[in-house]
Amino acid sequence: MATISGSQPLGHFLKSNRQWLAAGALLTLLSSFGQTFFISIFAAQIQGEFSLTHGSWGAIYGLGTAASAVVMIWAGGLTDRFRARSLGMIVLALLAGSCLLMAVNPYAAFLPIVIFALRLTGQGMTSHIAIVAMARWFVATRGRALAVATLGFSLGEAILPLLFVALMAFLDWRVLWILAAAIALLGVPILWRLLGEERTPQSMADENQSVGMKARHWTRTDTLGHPLFWFMVPALIGPAAFNTAFFFQQVYFAEIKGWSHLSLVALFPIYTVVGIGSMILSGIALDRFGTARLIPFFQLPMVVAFVTFALAQSLAAAAIGFVFLALTTGANSTLPNAFWAEFYGTRHIGAIKAMAAAVMVLGSAIGPGLTGGLIDLGVDLNVQYVGVAAYFLLATASMWIGIQRARNDLPLTA
């Protein structure tokens, strides 16, 4: 691999790597169909059709998501063995099939299976393939590559909820899932074309590795035995659990605040624009300063966001909450993903990132189930969000302690 200097002009970097970056962005965009922000826009229809309470729908969602987290531990490691193009095409086809399964499913008992399929193929594997590819293909410009490739997440968050909520006024919700399947399937030939030549051929993988702490390549077993991984676990769970929970409960949140769902969804572009800015700036800062200096503090805006959501009485206040939520969400697309490569090396990055992804997917199972269960028990969602803010303070402290203990073991060039 021809390592590109971190000082290379952004325009030249984008031009010379456009097909690989576009492939990453395509995968992250199409992962939207398995992400909570998309699935949750159908919450009212699903709950109404299958007679589900907030708690039972949250439990079903949590069960399917948790099962996908377990499978991700194995499936994520496939990125160390197969090319991104081949694996990506298979996963996109399976994602399309999962969308069709949601469209035709007639029974509440099958919902956990549908959610499992959507979460594994969408949130899990489609995004995992993109992130691992960027972390492996780029070294000096890893931050920029991750920032550009993960723009697909932001594009999906900005466009798809507005589009599909608007279409819901004219089309049955099941028809919209058929449309989602068609879009996912359309990505297969596009990915094939973009990755006709991969940036780092698998046969050359051993020549293109960067080492982690103590100048070594850590295996997944080694990583699990290292204290830093466990100090990072609360931070891995936090955004996955509570960002997911916020979007999962978006319909109910709008209801208790006295706003229409569409008016709340109309604020999503603010979240997207700020998230893109945060993503790009964090990627540039990452290439210059490294993750050790930046990652301990990137979840502090979540504290402000959830306190703001709890106290908000107007859409303007909610917009402020979205700004702070997006600051962490944008940085979350670059910093944690670069962290694994920087601290543990890239030779086994697929397996290591799969374990981290499994923890995050597990977090995304916990959030909706926890908040839905507490709503059924009568715990006000606004009160819950104050507790979420406190959680992020604890997660920040845990990250800071772990990084301080481990940063001296990094290679001098990290």
Side-chain angles (χ1 to χ4, degrees):
M1 175 181 70
T3 301
I4 297 174
S5 170
S7 60
Q8 182 187 46
L10 181 60
H12 187 269
F13 167 71
L14 294 174
K15 183 178 179 180
S16 59
N17 296 282
R18 57 187 179 275
Q19 69 265 44
W20 301 297
L21 296 172
L26 174 68
L27 287 169
T28 56
L29 171 62
L30 295 179
S31 77
S32 298
F33 299 125
Q35 301 280 3
T36 299
F37 74 82
F38 182 80
I39 299 172
S40 63
I41 67 177
F42 301 95
Q45 288 74 20
I46 293 172
Q47 287 181 247
E49 180 137 345
F50 296 106
S51 301
L52 302 173
T53 67
H54 292 291
S56 58
W57 168 227
I60 287 171
Y61 196 81
L63 177 62
T65 302
S68 73
V70 174
V71 177
M72 265 300 298
I73 297 172
W74 166 80
L78 296 175
T79 53
D80 289 331
R81 299 170 54 194
F82 299 99
R83 292 178 182 268
R85 179 172 69 162
S86 302
L87 190 58
M89 290 171 59
I90 292 170
V91 170
L92 285 180
L94 292 173
L95 175 58
S98 302
C99 293
L100 285 177
L101 193 60
M102 176 64 91
V104 301
N105 172 45
Y107 303 114
F110 288 167
L111 275 177
I113 298 173
V114 176
I115 297 301
F116 163 80
L118 285 169
R119 301 293 273 162
L120 176 63
T121 57
Q123 184 209 22
M125 285 301 295
T126 304
S127 58
H128 178 69
I129 292 167
I131 297 305
V132 169
M134 295 304 107
R136 178 172 284 134
W137 291 345
F138 299 89
V139 178
T141 53
R142 183 178 290 139
R144 292 188 216 180
L146 286 166
V148 173
T150 53
L151 285 173
F153 291 130
S154 298
L155 186 61
E157 290 167 346
I159 295 175
L160 294 177
L162 276 173
L163 175 62
F164 277 76
V165 169
L167 287 174
M168 215 177 291
F170 309 100
L171 298 172
D172 184 75
W173 69 276
R174 292 183 182 273
V175 173
L176 294 179
W177 278 103
I178 296 174
L179 175 60
I183 296 171
L185 202 58
L186 184 62
V188 173
I190 298 175
L191 187 68
W192 174 265
R193 180 67 180 270
L194 289 172
L195 295 184
E197 177 187 359
E198 290 202 23
R199 194 172 192 270
T200 307
Q202 197 66 23
S203 60
M204 296 170 54
D206 288 341
E207 303 173 14
N208 298 286
Q209 306 292 348
S210 60
V211 295
M213 293 178 291
K214 300 181 180 179
R216 57 178 283 205
H217 293 288
W218 294 68
T219 65
R220 181 158 66 186
T221 301
D222 294 335
T223 302
L224 287 173
H226 191 262
L228 178 58
F229 176 83
W230 299 104
F231 276 107
M232 293 298 295
V233 164
L236 292 175
I237 291 175
F242 299 115
N243 202 329
T244 298
F246 177 80
F247 285 102
F248 184 81
Q249 303 293 357
Q250 61 181 275
V251 176
Y252 180 67
F253 179 69
E255 179 185 324
I256 63 173
K257 294 293 186 178
W259 311 323
S260 72
H261 183 205
L262 188 58
S263 66
L264 180 66
V265 170
L267 297 178
F268 286 11
I270 297 173
Y271 171 78
T272 300
V273 170
V274 176
I276 290 172
S278 175
M279 192 186 308
I280 293 171
L281 290 176
S282 65
I284 294 171
L286 190 158
D287 290 337
R288 175 169 295 186
F289 302 111
T291 56
R293 296 182 184 179
L294 301 174
I295 201 168
F297 309 107
F298 85 103
Q299 292 187 0
L300 287 176
M302 295 290 261
V303 178
V304 180
F306 277 95
V307 169
T308 302
F309 287 139
L311 301 177
Q313 297 297 318
S314 66
L315 287 167
I320 295 172
F322 275 116
V323 168
F324 283 95
L325 190 70
L327 290 175
T328 291
T329 302
N332 196 53
S333 298
T334 57
L335 296 180
N337 293 315
F339 165 82
W340 301 108
E342 186 172 321
F343 277 78
Y344 293 103
T346 57
R347 181 171 297 166
H348 307 288
I349 186 64
I352 293 170
K353 183 68 176 63
M355 179 61 70
V359 174
M360 290 187 285
V361 173
L362 180 62
S364 66
I366 293 171
L370 178 63
T371 55
L374 289 175
I375 289 171
D376 281 359
L377 291 173
V379 180
D380 187 78
L381 191 61
N382 295 318
V383 174
Q384 292 186 45
Y385 284 168
V386 173
V388 170
Y391 177 92
F392 281 109
L393 287 175
L394 294 175
T396 295
S398 179
M399 267 193 295
W400 185 83
I401 294 169
I403 295 293
Q404 289 301 112
R405 290 163 54 104
R407 64 184 303 170
N408 291 334
D409 290 333
L410 288 171
L412 294 178
T413 55

